[in-house]
Amino acid sequence: MSRPSAGCVPRLAAGCRFSDAPGQGDMLLVPEGALRLMGVGRKIVERCDGVRTFADIVGELRAEYPALEPARVEEEAAKFLERLHEKRALDF
Amino acid sequence: MEYMPRALIAEITHRCPLHCVYCSNPLEMQVRQSELPAATWARVFEQAAEMGVLQLHLTGGEPLARRDLTELVAAARGAKLYVNLITSGIGLTAERLGALVAAGLDHLQLSFQDVEEATANDIAGARAHTHKLAVACLIRRHRIAFTVNMVVHRENLDRLEKMIALAEELQADRMEIANVQYYGWALRNRAALLPTRPQLERSLETVSAAQERLKGRMRIDFVVPDYYARYPKPCMGGWGRGMILIDPCGQVLPCHAAGVIPGLQFDNVREHALGWIWQESSAFRRFRGEEWMPEPCRSCDRRSQDFGGCRCQAFLLTGDAAATDPVCTLAPSHGLVEAVVAGVNAGAGAGVATSSPGWVYRADPV
Ligand code: SF4
Ligand code: SF4
């Protein structure tokens, strides 16, 4: 089971991308399927650009959601990325 | 629109250099001269995307048998579809792959017949295996998704561990292990292809151990033979609910096997817009929704999960396309499936595979 470490740099896995069709922008296309990403999930995945580290992403989310407990933000983001990693939609 | 199609399966040719004994192509195949030209496919891809289709599966036959495949990929990507290519790899060179990726290919699915050269070539009827290993190396040079697809059945299921090791070695992102489904050519070869129960149980253990071990590296999807299931599979996610198949000459079908059902009229993209066909074509309306359902499906809680199972299988086994899928343990005709399973398991003991059964090979369209 692999958790993203603070310094890892997540990015979408090969063959995974957001749809560029009109009105389908929240669909993350993966081999043979699609995941609808909305809200925070979408914000997280958009930041998995192969440049930002996991720590950067968590930092930006904390800034955007100041009302949330910082430890919770990190925990939830890590779990979410781990799930996408298992689906082979994300590398880190 | 009540139902929105999400995937389009484009069988762009029935030509194929292989002759698999479980080929899902219809027993009567279409010839090259009647194949849709690239410009028509391009129009269809645009229409599909407008209807909400996200995924395109380019399949065959062997899609590489079409010289204009790169053009088709570019048209699909231009229409903003996600492009999956399902190929045996025969005819794929470094240059051709480079061109396909540049045209916008997202995902390549390479199908294998087996891990062992001798057996693999027995099934495919060609010396294809060595070439595929080379092709897999070519694929990994590009940043596209790569799936290894293994078709399993009684003769090769005992080598499952080796197959998984092979996919790992090829660095696939995904492995799809599919048990043969009994339509078309596979139905004729069913008695030789259906695994025994002990074999199936071992394979389930092998797969779940590998899934655990490879988590995060390679995803494994396993399709078990529905003859051993309690309930049927949700055919195409329900007839006319989310998927469209177009055959090489432009006929639009709710599923790849639908042609076996007598009396269904298929409309053609040469004459009608895809959107019209999706909504109005009698073939799509025939088993859409729940009105056509017999008992026990009609009053069964599972009907919105499995939609009464496969219409083609119901027809092929019972002669009635509107019957409950005989695979279902609640179906009045379930005895038909039980008898086949019992036959395969009688004296099967440890489930040791027999040698060289009398295969019926897929013939070639001219
Ligand atoms: S009707 Fe049967 S053959 Fe056709 S797609 Fe459904 S499951 Fe497959
Ligand atoms: S009776 Fe019909 S709806 Fe119920 S599980 Fe069987 S096939 Fe599915």
Side-chain angles (χ1 to χ4, degrees):
Chain A
M1 185 87 34
S2 54
R3 275 284 163 118
S5 64
C8 75
V9 183
R11 66 165 178 171
L12 286 174
C16 301
R17 59 179 173 85
F18 280 101
S19 173
D20 51 1
Q24 311 270 20
D26 51 357
M27 300 304 263
L28 177 65
L29 303 177
V30 300
E32 320 248 305
L35 306 162
R36 189 188 292 277
L37 291 181
M38 289 177 299
V40 194
R42 161 112 218 207
K43 291 206 164 120
I44 295 175
V45 176
E46 273 172 353
R47 288 174 166 80
C48 296
D49 53 5
V51 179
R52 291 170 167 94
T53 63
F54 179 61
D56 293 339
I57 295 171
V58 171
E60 289 179 26
L61 289 172
R62 283 177 180 155
E64 198 158 332
Y65 299 95
L68 296 178
E69 199 190 315
R72 261 296 293 290
V73 173
E74 170 157 5
E75 174 65 18
E76 293 296 321
K79 267 203 240 156
F80 185 63
L81 293 192
E82 191 178 335
R83 275 211 308 278
L84 290 175
H85 187 242
E86 270 171 31
K87 288 187 195 289
R88 298 299 301 111
L90 205 73
D91 291 330
F92 52 74
Chain B
M1 200 179 280
E2 204 186 341
Y3 298 110
M4 185 190 279
R6 287 307 204 173
L8 169 63
I9 301 166
E11 269 180 5
I12 55 179
T13 180
H14 278 162
R15 287 175 286 145
C16 181
L18 303 182
H19 310 276
C20 297
V21 290
Y22 42 69
C23 176
S24 66
N25 282 171
L27 300 180
E28 312 250 332
M29 287 177 287
Q30 291 147 6
V31 299
R32 174 185 208 143
Q33 291 78 348
S34 60
E35 287 177 4
L36 285 185
T40 310
W41 278 116
R43 189 186 71 220
V44 168
F45 297 158
E46 294 283 348
Q47 292 173 349
E50 272 163 36
M51 294 160 67
V53 169
L54 296 167
Q55 295 269 341
L56 171 69
H57 304 269
L58 292 170
T59 179
E62 172 49 64
L64 292 165
R66 277 191 70 139
R67 302 310 309 172
D68 55 1
L69 180 61
T70 306
E71 205 183 313
L72 296 176
V73 169
R77 193 63 192 82
K80 315 232 183 289
L81 296 173
Y82 184 98
V83 188
N84 303 275
L85 174 66
I86 299 124
T87 174
S88 69
I90 308 290
L92 193 61
T93 59
E95 296 72 52
R96 205 149 179 222
L97 179 61
L100 289 168
V101 173
L105 180 65
D106 287 293
H107 172 213
L108 192 146
Q109 200 166 319
L110 188 64
S111 49
F112 279 78
Q113 275 68 44
D114 205 332
V115 265
E116 282 171 11
E117 176 121 27
T119 332
N121 288 340
D122 180 25
I123 293 289
R127 300 201 122 265
H129 195 70
T130 318
H131 175 72
K132 287 193 196 200
L133 300 182
V135 163
C137 295
L138 286 180
I139 296 166
R140 284 288 70 163
R141 291 193 205 150
H142 297 278
R143 208 175 128 74
I144 56 172
F146 173 34
T147 297
V148 162
N149 187 316
M150 281 279 177
V151 180
V152 294
H153 45 77
R154 179 150 96 241
E155 296 289 308
N156 70 5
L157 196 53
D158 290 331
R159 287 189 289 279
L160 190 54
E161 251 166 90
K162 281 195 187 167
M163 295 177 191
I164 296 171
L166 174 69
E168 231 182 302
E169 185 192 323
L170 299 176
Q171 299 174 40
D173 306 300
R174 236 175 110 244
M175 182 178 190
E176 199 175 281
I177 306 166
N179 268 275
V180 166
Q181 300 187 358
Y182 305 105
Y183 317 109
W185 297 94
L187 183 59
R188 294 209 180 165
N189 290 298
R190 181 177 61 186
L193 292 169
L194 187 67
T196 63
R197 196 178 292 277
Q199 250 188 325
L200 182 71
E201 280 162 11
R202 279 197 304 274
S203 70
L204 286 166
E205 284 167 25
T206 304
V207 168
S208 63
Q211 279 168 333
E212 194 50 42
R213 185 170 59 81
L214 295 168
K215 220 176 229 178
R217 273 200 290 148
M218 183 172 85
R219 185 176 136 187
I220 305 179
D221 295 326
F222 187 42
V223 183
V224 300
D226 60 0
Y227 278 45
Y228 284 103
R230 263 175 88 86
Y231 304 115
K233 59 188 178 299
C235 146
M236 299 292 272
W239 185 278
R241 282 175 193 252
M243 291 197 218
I244 302 177
L245 182 139
I246 304 182
D247 79 2
C249 75
Q251 290 193 104
V252 188
L253 288 71
C255 93
H256 64 271
V260 301
I261 299 177
L264 288 184
Q265 289 286 334
F266 302 112
D267 289 292
N268 196 300
V269 292
R270 294 182 204 255
E271 281 119 45
H272 298 281
L274 193 59
W276 181 90
I277 296 175
W278 174 255
Q279 294 203 57
E280 304 299 332
S281 169
S282 59
F284 277 83
R285 295 165 65 131
R286 178 69 183 84
F287 300 110
R288 189 178 260 160
E290 296 181 350
E291 286 83 77
W292 60 272
M293 282 185 185
E295 289 295 352
C297 299
R298 188 175 270 277
S299 51
C300 176
D301 287 343
R302 291 185 51 88
R303 71 183 184 282
S304 55
Q305 290 169 58
D306 65 33
F307 314 105
C310 172
R311 297 303 90 228
C312 307
Q313 182 149 277
F315 171 74
L316 288 169
L317 299 187
T318 72
D320 174 10
T324 296
D325 188 333
V327 155
C328 180
T329 41
L330 306 172
S333 59
H334 184 61
L336 293 169
V337 166
E338 270 177 336
V340 174
V341 169
V344 163
N345 285 287
V352 182
T354 53
S355 63
S356 244
W359 299 120
V360 180
Y361 285 92
R362 195 198 101 149
D364 243 352
V366 265

